[in-house]
Structure formats: C-alpha cells, structure tokens
Amino acid sequence: MSDNASTSRRRDEIERKKQKIAELKRAREERSKALHAVKETENMSHAARRKELEDLVASLVGERARKQDDVPTLGHVAPTLTQIKTDVLPSAPMAASPDLDGDELTDNNVMMIRKPAPKLVMTSMITFENPPQEKVYYEKEIQTADSSFQTEDADPEPATKEAEQSTEPVVQEPTPEPEPEKLRELEDYERDMILHSEPFQDFFDRSAKLIERALNSKYDVLTDYTLTDDFQGDIDTGKGVKHTITFSDDRWTKNRSVTDISWSPRHPELLLASYNKNQSSISDPDGVVLIWNLHAPERPEFMFHAQSDVTAACFSEFHPHMVLGGTYSGQILIWDTRTKRVPVLKTPLSAAGAHTHPVYSMHVVGTQNAHSLVTCSTDGTVCSWQMDMLAHPQEVLELAHSPMDSTNLRPTNEIAVTTLGFPANETTTFWVGTEEGVVYQANRYDRAGGKAGINSLEPYVGHDGNITSLHFHPLNGPLDFSDLFLTTSVDWTVNLWKAKNPAKQNNLATASTTPVGTTMRPLCTFEESDDYVYDAKWSPVHPSVFACVDGSGILDVYDLNQETETASASVTLGGNFGNSSSSNSGGTTAFAALNKLAWDKSGAKIGVGAADGKVHVVDVGEIGVPKPDSWVQFQKTLAEMGHGA
C-alpha cells in the first residue's frame, strides 16, 4: 500500500513538473513573438522615416531649382528648357541618343551633361609691398579727452588747466570708522552662572595647568650659546642622593598619610599617591588619589575620590589611563583619567567571594592581550578580577594553614596576609607576607605535586614582626635574578631571600638541594635602620641597587656590589623639607615617617610618600646607573654571601 502511494506521489510530481515545463515553454514563445513584433515595428518605422527624409530632401532641392530658373524678373520672359540648354552649354554639343531628343530634356537630364574642361592661360603677377598698418591698443586706464576731437584752431587752455589740476595733490577726506558695537554688561547673577558652570571650570583648570607647566620649566631661555664659560667651580657629580621636589596640598593632603605610590608607565613626569582619611574633616571624602606632575608641582594634575580609605593604588601597566585602587572596606576601584573624580568601575560590597577586609596589596599579571588583577586582603582571601568586569571575582582562593600539618601549633588556621608579590613573567605562583612575620609560597591553581594554596611545609622565616612589603627582582639585564626578593618588617630589618624553584618545590620526586619541609632562611639581613622599615624596592635598571624607607624619615640606597653592611647613600626627608619636622619635649627633632617608595622607569628618581601627606622626589645620581660588569659582579657578591645565584 505504501509502494502504491509513493508511486502515485511520484507520478503526480512528474505531471506537475511537465506542466511547469510546458508553461515555461509557452511563456518563452510568447516573449519571442513579442520581441519579433517589436523588431518589425522598429524596422518599418525606420524605413518610413528614411523615406520621409528622402522625399523632404528631394522636394527642397526641386523647389530651389524652380525658384532660380522659373521665376521671371521685370522685362524678361521665362526661358524655355531649350534656351537653358543652349545658354548653359553653348560650346558642348549634345550626344545623340535614340531615346532622348532635344525637346524632351528634363532638369535631371541637363544636370547629367558633362561640362567642358577649363582652358589654362599663362599670366604675369605684379606684387605690391604696403607698409604694415599701425595697431592702436586701448587699456582701461586710457581715457579720451574732449580736446582730441577739436580742430587745430581750438583753444588749448582747457587742456592745460586740466593738466594743472591733475598735478595738484588730491586730499581725500577720511572715512569715518564704524563705531564698535557696545557689549552688554553682564548682570551679577549671569557672571556667577558662567564662572560656576562646568564648561568654564574645565577650561579654566586646563588652561591654568598649561600655564603652570610653562612657568615651572627650569630651562633658561636667556642662555647664550656663543659665550665661553671658563668657570671651574664646584660641580655636583651626581653620585649622592639629593632631594629635588616635594608635592603637597593644604586642601587634600593635610592631616592625611600616603598609603601607596606609583609612577606612570607612559608619562614619566606623572606620579600617583593614595591617601587615607582626614580625621579633622567630615565633609571630605575618606579616600583620595592624587596624580602629581613634575612640571606643575603647585597642585595635582588629577584627583579621584573614594568612599573608604585607599590603602593600595597603582597605574594599570597595560592601560595607562586607568588607576587601580584597593580600599580599607575591601572594595576594588578603577578610575579613568579621561573622566571625572568618581570611579568608573567598583566591586559591590556584598559580592559573593569578594573582599570584606582591607586590601593592602595588588598586582596586574599577564600580557597585553590576557591579563588580570590579583588582590589580597588581611583575611587571607586572594581574588582575581577582569579589568572590565568587577561585579564578581573570576577566582577566589582562601589561604590557610593545612590542619594536617603536624608542625602547626597555632590556635587558628587562618593567615593574615599583608603583602604579596609575583616573580617576573610568573602568573600562577606567588609569595605572601603575613602578620606573623613569615613568608609563604602559594599557588593559584592545582599543579603536579601540590594543590592550590600555600605551601606551609617550607616557610621563609627571618622576621620577628609584621611584614610590611615584599618585592621581587626585575628582569633588567643579561643575567636572571628574578628569584631574589626583598622583605621589610616592623622588626627594623630588611631581608634578602632566594625563592625556591616552584617546579622543583611542587615535584616531590625531583632531586633538590633543599629537602622538603626545610625552613628557608634569608641570604642577608640589613639592620641599619633604627625604626620600622615600611618598604623596599629594587632598582629597575641596576641589578645590585635597592632602596628602603623607615619610620624615622630616612631613605637608604644600597649598592650590594659596593657594600653589603651599610647603605651607600642616605637622605633624611620630612624634617628639612616643607616644615614637616617638630620638636618633642626632649628637644630632639621628630621626622615624619616614610611609608612607601617607588622607582621611576629610568631608575634615576625615587618617589617617596610620607606619613604627613607629603610626596618627595629624590634623584639618586650615579648610584642608579649600572656598569657593563654590574651583573657579573652581583653574581659574585651573591656567591660570597654563601649561596650561588
């Protein structure tokens, strides 16, 4: 039954196709007939038009001949065809023709008779040479005087008078200048509206910044390069560290402390500083981020606000117009220098997995095309964020001690993280400093031989107090020292460490010089400071140079190739600059503590933030300039410390 149905459907389909083909053939035949009819009509119309044109030409030619030959004039009679023949061709005899006689000649027959050949005669030609006729040209300036049309007897006095008048100077009366339109004086309320309008404020701020930059330029415009200067006085060689400039603002930095500092990766003259709350002002925002310009130190170039104390801030390495910040409330904020003072992106306070404790450290890791922001808070939470979406973190890692660790004698497994650092070109393994004074290595993901989290079996023990900073050596030369890092603490010391290879550390089967479960000790301890050491950073260009700041207001610069026990150069900031020093009851001078420091990209300047809200810029001179053999010499210095690099 199904076969019959399919056969019938097939037959019906074939019939429908045949009908459709027949309809197509019929339509094609109709189109061809219509096209043939159109062509025939065009041919007939073309032939008709041609015939009409030929008739019109023949009629015109015939009428013209009749008008010339048949119309008589006064005193004459119209000549006959025979007369026309004899007059036109008197000397040409007609050829005899059996079909044509003289009386039957028509107009066409007469025109067909051949004319005789002309006779040529030799003649002589006489040439005449006439002088060329003088040509007179007239211009716009030439005017014809009336005297030119007078006779010779005319009186020439009028022409003489006109010439005399033309030689006299003509005094033109000055044309009155149009009076300028009087401007309407603005009313007081109109003037106030303009002065307080947002476009005028933006224009005024922008213009004022440009003028300040020009006025603060130290270039001597009166320098004469043609003179010879024979002065041979004392010249600063630049070997010492010297203070160059101080940034402060009575409105925004007074009664605040600098919490972080960072140089712009694109514009070397821009320096960022973050500040905490002003306890004496209730109306001001709790957190402030100011961007200072070396060419305009009187006021900040940009200013950003936050609802909580800004505890960490930096420029985005891959987006220089973006400023990243962490707050005391745990929020992560992003500001944009192309917009206003409020954040363009921020994390919600109630987001799942987000920070709820103060964020004191953050790092941008990755490459230009794939990077993320890693932040840590004091409760041991490490979060990873996408820069364009802060609604919730991409990854959340809770750092805690393993409860199975037999050496864990602590009352709690939690880790209070104060700082973290990533080695160069590393995105998964990082090191954290804690409030207990121990440094731990941690992994963001599970890997061979280890799980995500801290490795509590191999702690880095060397401090007796809270760790305030941690910084890895940058990749800046022919030799790789990126496994070295510095830590500072409230125990008045700075420690130099060598990080263990993460691949060897996580692979239990790999042979290593350091057995698993061994406590790591520092390569060297620097004990020059007499107060809390708050920050230490490696030079971005010199392998053996680093700087540190402490609570006594002293900036120390070490060159390990020259000296490992004492600082190569020191400068006291705060008391001698900006009147930030004060005298206590004992008569000694108390300097403002230095909280943070940052090297600029060239390694020639150091930005230092103080507890009194001032930001100082220091020139390190020749100490920061590396030599060709600095890397090899630093490798020898590390070997002398007892550990090979």
Side-chain angles (χ1 to χ4, degrees):
M1 194 68 183
S2 61
D3 296 339
N4 295 333
S6 61
T7 303
S8 61
R9 285 197 301 271
R10 181 66 177 172
R11 189 181 300 108
D12 294 341
E13 185 178 357
I14 293 173
E15 291 296 332
R16 285 195 300 271
K17 290 184 178 180
K18 288 182 178 180
Q19 293 177 2
K20 189 172 182 179
I21 292 172
E23 291 178 358
L24 293 175
K25 289 182 178 180
R26 184 168 57 256
R28 184 170 56 189
E29 291 176 356
E30 291 177 356
R31 286 197 301 272
S32 62
K33 290 180 181 180
L35 182 62
H36 184 67
V38 170
K39 289 183 178 180
E40 289 182 353
T41 304
E42 290 180 354
N43 295 333
M44 293 176 64
S45 62
H46 181 70
R49 287 196 299 270
R50 184 176 182 82
K51 187 175 183 306
E52 291 177 0
L53 182 61
E54 291 178 353
D55 295 341
L56 178 61
V57 171
S59 64
L60 293 175
V61 172
E63 289 178 1
R64 184 179 301 173
R66 284 193 297 271
K67 286 181 181 180
Q68 293 178 356
D69 301 335
D70 298 341
V71 177
T73 60
L74 293 176
H76 292 80
V77 181
T80 61
L81 185 61
T82 306
Q83 293 174 346
I84 295 173
K85 177 190 69 172
T86 57
D87 292 340
V88 173
L89 301 173
S91 61
M94 292 181 55
S97 176
D99 299 332
L100 184 66
D101 55 358
D103 298 334
E104 296 178 355
L105 288 174
T106 62
D107 296 342
N108 295 333
N109 299 133
V110 173
M111 298 299 294
M112 293 174 59
I113 298 174
R114 185 174 61 181
K115 294 182 180 181
K119 294 181 180 181
L120 302 178
V121 181
M122 297 294 294
T123 60
S124 61
M125 182 178 297
I126 301 174
T127 59
F128 298 93
E129 294 183 359
N130 295 328
Q133 186 178 1
E134 183 180 0
K135 296 182 180 180
V136 180
Y137 298 94
Y138 294 92
E139 298 180 358
K140 294 181 179 179
E141 291 78 4
I142 299 177
Q143 297 180 357
T144 304
D146 296 338
S147 60
S148 62
F149 298 98
Q150 297 178 357
T151 59
E152 295 179 357
D153 298 337
D155 186 10
E157 290 183 359
T160 305
K161 292 180 180 180
E162 291 180 0
E164 292 177 355
Q165 292 178 359
S166 62
T167 57
E168 295 180 357
V170 179
V171 180
Q172 296 182 355
E173 296 182 359
T175 57
E177 296 182 358
E179 296 182 359
E181 184 180 356
K182 294 183 178 180
L183 300 178
R184 183 179 65 87
E185 187 175 356
L186 297 176
E187 300 292 339
D188 293 340
Y189 74 92
E190 293 178 333
R191 190 182 300 108
D192 293 339
M193 288 178 59
I194 294 176
L195 293 177
H196 292 86
S197 63
E198 186 174 354
F200 179 81
Q201 292 289 339
D202 294 341
F203 164 76
F204 185 80
D205 291 342
R206 175 65 177 168
S207 302
K209 289 177 182 178
L210 295 177
I211 297 299
E212 288 180 7
R213 293 176 193 170
L215 294 178
N216 284 283
S217 177
K218 295 183 180 180
Y219 177 73
D220 186 5
V221 297
L222 300 178
T223 301
D224 190 354
Y225 296 104
T226 62
L227 299 179
T228 303
D229 189 4
D230 296 331
F231 176 72
Q232 299 292 338
D234 294 335
I235 300 176
D236 185 7
T237 59
K239 294 182 179 180
V241 177
K242 60 180 180 179
H243 174 271
T244 59
I245 197 171
T246 298
F247 298 109
S248 64
D249 186 272
D250 293 338
R251 174 70 174 83
W252 296 107
T253 63
K254 189 176 181 180
N255 298 324
R256 296 179 186 267
S257 297
V258 178
T259 57
D260 207 348
I261 196 167
S262 173
W263 290 89
S264 172
R266 176 175 296 179
H267 305 287
E269 69 274 10
L270 296 183
L271 178 62
L272 175 148
S274 61
Y275 301 83
N276 58 6
K277 183 187 301 183
N278 183 359
Q279 301 292 343
S280 62
S281 178
I282 303 176
S283 59
D284 290 344
D286 290 348
V288 175
V289 175
L290 303 180
I291 297 179
W292 300 96
N293 192 334
L294 296 178
H295 302 309
E298 300 299 329
R299 61 173 177 171
E301 188 78 17
F302 299 99
M303 180 171 56
F304 305 110
H305 296 167
Q307 297 178 349
S308 179
D309 298 21
V310 181
T311 53
C314 65
F315 282 101
S316 175
E317 182 180 358
F318 305 107
H319 305 281
H321 58 271
M322 288 187 177
V323 177
L324 315 177
T327 63
Y328 189 81
S329 62
Q331 271 191 313
I332 306 300
L333 309 176
I334 296 180
W335 298 275
D336 197 322
T337 56
R338 301 168 295 183
T339 60
K340 300 301 179 182
R341 300 178 177 180
V342 297
V344 295
L345 289 174
K346 59 182 178 180
T347 60
L349 293 173
S350 59
H355 296 295
T356 57
H357 287 68
V359 176
Y360 285 107
S361 186
M362 58 174 54
H363 283 272
V364 178
V365 296
T367 61
Q368 175 70 38
N369 299 325
H371 56 272
S372 59
L373 175 65
V374 179
T375 59
C376 70
S377 56
T378 56
D379 62 344
T381 302
V382 178
C383 297
S384 176
W385 309 85
Q386 279 286 356
M387 299 286 289
D388 56 351
M389 185 183 64
L390 299 182
H392 54 82
Q394 273 191 321
E395 305 165 4
V396 179
L397 179 63
E398 298 288 343
L399 300 182
H401 293 287
S402 174
M404 304 301 295
D405 184 7
S406 60
T407 61
N408 184 10
L409 303 178
R410 305 170 185 84
T412 177
N413 294 328
E414 296 180 357
I415 296 179
V417 179
T418 57
T419 180
L420 88 161
F422 282 83
N425 299 332
E426 181 63 52
T427 59
T428 59
T429 304
F430 59 96
W431 277 253
V432 296
T434 62
E435 291 183 355
E436 61 189 82
V438 182
V439 178
Y440 295 99
Q441 179 265 328
N443 297 320
R444 293 174 61 187
Y445 315 107
D446 293 339
R447 54 194 305 171
K451 295 183 178 180
I454 67 168
N455 180 12
S456 58
L457 298 178
E458 296 178 351
Y460 293 75
V461 179
H463 288 293
D464 297 327
N466 181 10
I467 295 178
T468 55
S469 71
L470 187 151
H471 187 247
F472 273 88
H473 197 287
L475 287 173
N476 55 8
L479 297 180
D480 184 5
F481 300 109
S482 60
D483 56 348
L484 301 177
F485 66 93
L486 296 169
T487 58
T488 60
S489 175
V490 296
D491 63 357
W492 302 7
T493 63
V494 179
N495 284 344
L496 172 62
W497 306 83
K498 180 178 176 61
K500 190 177 179 181
N501 191 336
K504 295 181 180 180
Q505 183 170 324
N506 292 322
N507 189 0
L508 298 179
T510 303
S512 175
T513 57
T514 304
V516 177
T518 302
T519 300
M520 307 296 293
R521 296 295 179 181
L523 294 178
C524 185
T525 300
F526 307 94
E527 301 177 345
E528 279 294 304
S529 180
D530 295 332
D531 208 325
Y532 295 166
V533 184
Y534 289 106
D535 199 4
K537 296 288 175 60
W538 290 102
S539 169
V541 296
H542 201 298
S544 62
V545 172
F546 72 90
C548 61
V549 291
D550 59 22
S552 61
I554 298 177
L555 168 67
D556 292 326
V557 180
Y558 287 82
D559 186 353
L560 300 182
N561 287 341
Q562 303 297 329
E563 184 63 48
T564 59
E565 298 294 334
T566 59
S568 301
S570 298
V571 60
T572 302
L573 303 175
N576 297 329
F577 307 101
N579 296 326
S580 61
S581 62
S582 60
S583 298
N584 54 22
S585 58
T588 60
T589 302
F591 297 97
L594 304 180
N595 298 335
K596 291 289 181 177
L597 71 90
W599 292 80
D600 73 335
K601 188 167 58 175
S602 65
K605 299 182 184 66
I606 301 177
V608 181
D612 59 356
K614 290 182 172 59
V615 176
H616 307 282
V617 178
V618 176
D619 189 352
V620 298
E622 293 185 359
I623 297 179
V625 180
K627 298 179 180 179
D629 60 342
S630 296
W631 282 265
V632 177
Q633 188 175 357
F634 184 49
Q635 191 175 28
K636 295 179 181 179
T637 302
L638 295 176
E640 291 175 0
M641 291 180 181
H643 298 270

